[in-house]
Amino acid sequence: MTTEDLSGMGPLVARLGRAGQRLRHADRARPWVLDTAVVVLVFLLFCLPDLLHGGGGDGDGPRRFRLAFTRLPLAGMLALQAGLVLPLLWRRRAPAVAFGAVTAVFVLQWSLGAALRADVALFVALYSLALHGRLRQLPWACAAMAGALGLVAARVSAAVSVWDALFFLLSTATAALALGLMIRIRRAQLAGLRDRAARLEIERDQRGRLAVAAERTRVAREMHDIVGHNLSVIITLADAGAYATAVAPERGKEALHLIGDTGRQALSELRRVLGVLREADGPRTEPELSPQPGLADIDALCEGVRAAGLEVVYRTAGDVDALDNGVQLTVYRIVQEALTNTLKHAGAGARANLAIAVADTRVTITVQDSGPPAPVGRRGPANEEGHGLVGMRERAALYGGHVSAGPAGAGWTVRAALDLAPQGGAR
């Protein structure tokens, strides 16, 4: 077959596939049509020739073969043909019942010594049972089939060897059984593939929704850290500037400059975070992907908090520079949130001790403040948690760590521990 012949078969195969699909849809909508068509086809091909030419002893076969069978009257022939063919109408809805009815008529017919072309209905019934019936019904069906075919072999022994007849009949029955099982297995495989494809599609959609939810949580956490910290610094600076304007105008001017610097820093970080969510029309440029803050930026963070009036003492222990970027970002955000809470609740004039220690595969962060300089009341019960503490715990959980926070004397202490043994990346 040439390449042109193969290429010309493409549209033909596609048309045949579409036609088969339409037939399957039509069969699912009206299954009785196909069942009736099978009965009509069997009648036209196998019953009608016997009715026209006579059955039993008549026919065109060898004389000794014709003499081995009984000639049936027309009414008896019609009755046996109906008993063989009509049960095929429910061969798919009740295959075991159809097979049993056909087998019973088949045994009755051969007990009378009659041979009919409509006996092919027995093989059709066996095929339907293998395809549509329960598998545990096949053993007794095969036993009944073997017994019925043994009766046929005994009846035709005068014309054909019993072993030859059994070989031919059992081979035909095996072919019908194998064909039904093969199609059944193929349909089961296709159903399994369709089910697996549907599950994979559902899992893909679920993974997409989980990824979106995780990204929304990450962005919300970043936005909270950026906006919460910088706004707290700006508000504190604005309050201090408004107080200092009447006493020392130059300090008020300095506060305004610090407010501008803090606002520009916050705006830059917001643009970086939001830029990740925006679909760019063209290729991204490198400045849009500025690096995330790390431990080297904590000094600048502390300077900004000090400018707002909070005294910060910062100490480190261990090889903090060896931490990877993900861990450094997590540590920075936890420190940022803790200092923001200290500035918000303790206010200007308070003192905060910040300590970061690295030992083996563990990073410990401690932020302890002295509380407000004046007795303005406690921060609230320890079980009242805002989004900041929840965000710190979520970040620590990425590295198998934990965060604890609570009152310590007149002030407040936040402790976080990260376990770096299971290597994972913080986002």
Short mmCIF file of all heavy atoms in Angstrom, two decimals, residues 235-248 251-252 255-256 259:
data_model
loop_
_atom_site.label_atom_id
_atom_site.label_comp_id
_atom_site.label_asym_id
_atom_site.label_seq_id
_atom_site.Cartn_x
_atom_site.Cartn_y
_atom_site.Cartn_z
N ILE A 235 2.89 56.30 60.71
CA ILE A 235 1.97 56.89 61.70
C ILE A 235 2.75 57.38 62.91
O ILE A 235 2.52 58.49 63.43
CB ILE A 235 0.92 55.86 62.12
CG1 ILE A 235 -0.03 55.59 60.94
CG2 ILE A 235 0.13 56.32 63.33
CD1 ILE A 235 -0.99 54.46 61.18
N THR A 236 3.71 56.57 63.37
CA THR A 236 4.50 56.99 64.53
C THR A 236 5.32 58.23 64.20
O THR A 236 5.41 59.16 65.01
CB THR A 236 5.42 55.85 64.97
OG1 THR A 236 4.63 54.67 65.24
CG2 THR A 236 6.19 56.21 66.22
N LEU A 237 5.93 58.24 63.02
CA LEU A 237 6.71 59.42 62.61
C LEU A 237 5.81 60.65 62.46
O LEU A 237 6.22 61.77 62.82
CB LEU A 237 7.43 59.14 61.30
CG LEU A 237 8.62 58.17 61.38
CD1 LEU A 237 9.13 57.85 59.98
CD2 LEU A 237 9.76 58.76 62.23
N ALA A 238 4.61 60.46 61.92
CA ALA A 238 3.70 61.59 61.76
C ALA A 238 3.29 62.16 63.12
O ALA A 238 3.24 63.38 63.30
CB ALA A 238 2.47 61.15 60.97
N ASP A 239 2.99 61.27 64.08
CA ASP A 239 2.64 61.76 65.42
C ASP A 239 3.80 62.49 66.07
O ASP A 239 3.62 63.57 66.67
CB ASP A 239 2.21 60.58 66.29
CG ASP A 239 0.89 59.97 65.83
OD1 ASP A 239 0.14 60.68 65.10
OD2 ASP A 239 0.61 58.81 66.18
N ALA A 240 5.01 61.90 65.95
CA ALA A 240 6.17 62.56 66.53
C ALA A 240 6.48 63.87 65.83
O ALA A 240 6.85 64.87 66.47
CB ALA A 240 7.39 61.61 66.44
N GLY A 241 6.31 63.92 64.50
CA GLY A 241 6.57 65.16 63.77
C GLY A 241 5.58 66.25 64.14
O GLY A 241 5.95 67.43 64.26
N ALA A 242 4.31 65.86 64.30
CA ALA A 242 3.31 66.87 64.69
C ALA A 242 3.62 67.44 66.07
O ALA A 242 3.44 68.65 66.33
CB ALA A 242 1.93 66.24 64.69
N TYR A 243 4.12 66.61 67.00
CA TYR A 243 4.47 67.10 68.33
C TYR A 243 5.73 67.95 68.29
O TYR A 243 5.84 68.97 68.98
CB TYR A 243 4.67 65.90 69.26
CG TYR A 243 5.18 66.28 70.63
CD1 TYR A 243 4.32 66.82 71.58
CD2 TYR A 243 6.53 66.10 70.95
CE1 TYR A 243 4.79 67.17 72.84
CE2 TYR A 243 7.01 66.46 72.21
CZ TYR A 243 6.14 67.00 73.16
OH TYR A 243 6.61 67.35 74.40
N ALA A 244 6.71 67.53 67.43
CA ALA A 244 7.99 68.23 67.41
C ALA A 244 7.91 69.54 66.65
O ALA A 244 8.78 70.41 66.82
CB ALA A 244 9.06 67.34 66.78
N THR A 245 6.92 69.74 65.79
CA THR A 245 6.84 70.97 64.99
C THR A 245 6.73 72.20 65.88
O THR A 245 7.35 73.25 65.60
CB THR A 245 5.63 70.90 64.04
OG1 THR A 245 5.80 69.77 63.18
CG2 THR A 245 5.53 72.16 63.21
N ALA A 246 5.96 72.08 66.95
CA ALA A 246 5.78 73.24 67.83
C ALA A 246 7.00 73.47 68.71
O ALA A 246 7.26 74.61 69.13
CB ALA A 246 4.55 73.04 68.70
N VAL A 247 7.76 72.43 69.02
CA VAL A 247 8.90 72.55 69.92
C VAL A 247 10.21 72.74 69.16
O VAL A 247 10.99 73.65 69.45
CB VAL A 247 8.98 71.32 70.84
CG1 VAL A 247 10.16 71.43 71.81
CG2 VAL A 247 7.68 71.15 71.62
N ALA A 248 10.46 71.82 68.18
CA ALA A 248 11.70 71.86 67.40
C ALA A 248 11.34 71.65 65.94
O ALA A 248 11.20 70.51 65.49
CB ALA A 248 12.68 70.81 67.89
N ARG A 251 13.23 69.09 63.88
CA ARG A 251 12.88 67.68 64.09
C ARG A 251 11.62 67.30 63.33
O ARG A 251 11.49 66.19 62.82
CB ARG A 251 12.69 67.40 65.59
CG ARG A 251 13.95 67.61 66.41
CD ARG A 251 15.04 66.63 66.00
NE ARG A 251 14.62 65.26 66.13
CZ ARG A 251 14.71 64.56 67.26
NH1 ARG A 251 15.24 65.11 68.35
NH2 ARG A 251 14.33 63.29 67.30
N GLY A 252 10.67 68.24 63.22
CA GLY A 252 9.48 67.97 62.43
C GLY A 252 9.80 67.82 60.96
O GLY A 252 9.24 66.95 60.27
N ALA A 255 11.28 64.44 60.49
CA ALA A 255 10.24 63.41 60.50
C ALA A 255 9.54 63.32 59.16
O ALA A 255 9.21 62.23 58.66
CB ALA A 255 9.24 63.68 61.62
N LEU A 256 9.30 64.46 58.54
CA LEU A 256 8.65 64.46 57.22
C LEU A 256 9.52 63.77 56.18
O LEU A 256 9.03 63.03 55.32
CB LEU A 256 8.32 65.88 56.79
CG LEU A 256 7.22 66.60 57.58
CD1 LEU A 256 7.07 68.04 57.11
CD2 LEU A 256 5.90 65.86 57.41
N ILE A 259 9.25 60.14 56.77
CA ILE A 259 7.97 59.64 56.27
C ILE A 259 8.02 59.45 54.76
O ILE A 259 7.54 58.44 54.21
CB ILE A 259 6.83 60.61 56.66
CG1 ILE A 259 6.57 60.54 58.16
CG2 ILE A 259 5.55 60.29 55.88
CD1 ILE A 259 5.58 61.57 58.65
#
